[in-house]
Each structure stands twice: as C-alpha cells, then as structure tokens.
Amino acid sequence: MVRSFWGNSSFMHAFSPSHGASGGILFIWDLDSISHNRVFIHDGFVAIEAVWVRSGLQVLFIVVYAPQGLNNKILWNGIYNTISNFSGECIVMGDFNEVRDDSERLGANFNMSSVRFFNDFIDSLDLVDIPLGGPHFTWSDKWSSKFSKLDRFLVTEGFLVSFPQLSAIVLEKNIPDHRHILLLEHRVDYGLSPFCLLHSWFDMDGFDNVVREAWSTSMVGT
C-alpha cells in the first residue's frame, strides 16, 4: 500500500499504530538519500537513527504526533531521552498539538502550564524552531472558528550548519484539518558577485575616460 503512493521501490517505512481513529504515524524515507541504522517505535513518536547518504551526517529523525487535550510532559521527556542518547544531529517534526505562545492560538484555549513544559523541552535540547513561511496557523476546526500553530520542525544547531539554506513553508489546506508543512533546502546561485562602485572614484582624475573606454570596447548583448 505504501509503495502504491510512494512511486518507486527504493524506500523503507516505519509506523506507530493508531489508537482508534487517531494517533498513528507513518514515516517513509528514500533509501538513496537516507541509510537507517535503528528504528524506535513509541506512543506519540517514531525515531530513526540514520546516515544522510550525500554528506555522511549522522542524523536522528523523529516524527511526532502528540495526543490531543493531554499534558504531554511524559512525551517530551521520552523524546528528550532519545535525543540525549544520540551523538549526531537531530530533526524533530510533526504535529506537536502544542503552541509556544499565545500568538499561536486564535479562538482556542491557551494553557500556560503546557506551553511552559513544551518550551522547556525545546530549550533544554537547544533546538531551533524553523520559521514557517505562508499561513501563520497550521490547524483550524471545520467551522474555521479556531486556529493554532501545532505543526513545526525543530532541529539542532549542527543540522543548520550542515544545511544552512533550510526553509519551511505551510502549504495550502485541502480536506484535512491540518495544513501540510514542507522543509526544503533551497540553493540559489546568483552568479558572479555584483560590481562594486565607490563614490570616491567619481572624484579621481580620468575616471570618466576609463568608464567611457570600457563601455565602448565591451560586448553588450541585446
């Protein structure tokens, strides 16, 4: 079934089963990009110790689906222990079912105690919260009366050193109540460095002649 929507056979997957109609996690990775060593299945998250093939970087991938309406301190402690026992870089991603401050909720309950636990978890591991471009909120109810930013990417600082051009974006909402979020490394080649011109050059003797001669002998395409 996974192969039917992945598109090719060069993949592996791991999953944590759902509890009723919610809580399931499916994690799929491309074997040409990621070589895994160990997989850990827990309630609320799936962790994979792996090597990023292109760079040889040791990475711990953690996909989270936090339960709704519960104090997730136990979940944060479980993820903290998993990361603390790993010596490489880490990326934690998914639906955390928690916000970091009151600006990330609109029309929904704000629990300061739960927010404090969540922020303490992030700070204790020195994780970087990748800014999301696009819409501010990633979840809304079916009546569009409540909004929250529940989905995000958290990475170690060393991960950003290896991938300095990371960016993330919130995609358009379709049928699910959550918007998809996408993490990508966007490399831009702007070509040669732009020409620099100092204002003091205008006062130098012969400057006009140098510019005029260079312009007249250059081959300028149309």
Side-chain angles (χ1 to χ4, degrees), residues 26 35 48-49 53 77 123-124 130 133 158 190 195 207 213:
L26 175 62
S35 176
I48 298 176
E49 291 184 359
V53 174
N77 287 340
D123 293 341
S124 65
I130 302 296
Y190 292 104
F195 173 72
F207 176 76
E213 181 180 352

Side-chain angles (χ1 to χ4, degrees), residues 27 40 45-52 57-64 76 78-94 96 121-122 124-130 152-163 166 183:
F27 184 7
F40 306 91
F45 71 97
V46 173
I48 298 176
E49 291 184 359
V51 176
W52 203 289
L57 184 69
Q58 298 281 336
V59 183
L60 176 65
F61 296 90
I62 300 179
V63 180
V64 179
W76 309 144
I79 297 174
Y80 176 89
N81 292 333
T82 302
I83 295 176
S84 298
N85 291 323
F86 184 71
S87 58
E89 303 304 330
C90 179
I91 174 170
V92 191
M93 52 193 160
F96 294 85
F121 155 72
I122 295 173
S124 65
L125 291 166
D126 293 323
L127 296 176
V128 178
D129 192 351
I130 302 296
R152 63 187 76 238
F153 298 100
L154 304 172
V155 303
T156 52
E157 292 184 356
F159 193 89
L160 286 178
V161 172
S162 297
F163 302 97
L166 279 184
L183 182 70

Side-chain angles (χ1 to χ4, degrees), residues 1 3 13 25 29 33 38 58 89 95-96 107 114 144 146 148 159 161 164-165 197 201 209 211:
M1 183 178 66
R3 184 180 292 109
H13 76 280
I25 300 172
W29 62 95
S33 300
R38 291 194 295 175
Q58 298 281 336
E89 303 304 330
D95 175 8
F96 294 85
S114 297
S144 295
K146 298 179 181 180
S148 296
F159 193 89
V161 172
Q165 295 174 306
L197 180 65
W201 292 356
N209 292 332
V211 174

Side-chain angles (χ1 to χ4, degrees), residues 141-189:
D141 64 3
K142 61 181 179 181
W143 300 282
S144 295
S145 61
K146 298 179 181 180
F147 302 86
S148 296
K149 181 182 177 182
L150 305 179
D151 310 86
R152 63 187 76 238
F153 298 100
L154 304 172
V155 303
T156 52
E157 292 184 356
F159 193 89
L160 286 178
V161 172
S162 297
F163 302 97
Q165 295 174 306
L166 279 184
S167 61
I169 189 170
V170 180
L171 303 180
E172 291 299 319
K173 184 179 178 182
N174 200 344
I175 296 176
D177 54 357
H178 285 261
R179 293 176 181 266
H180 299 295
I181 57 175
L182 177 67
L183 182 70
L184 65 157
E185 187 182 24
H186 185 54
R187 296 180 179 271
V188 178
D189 183 3

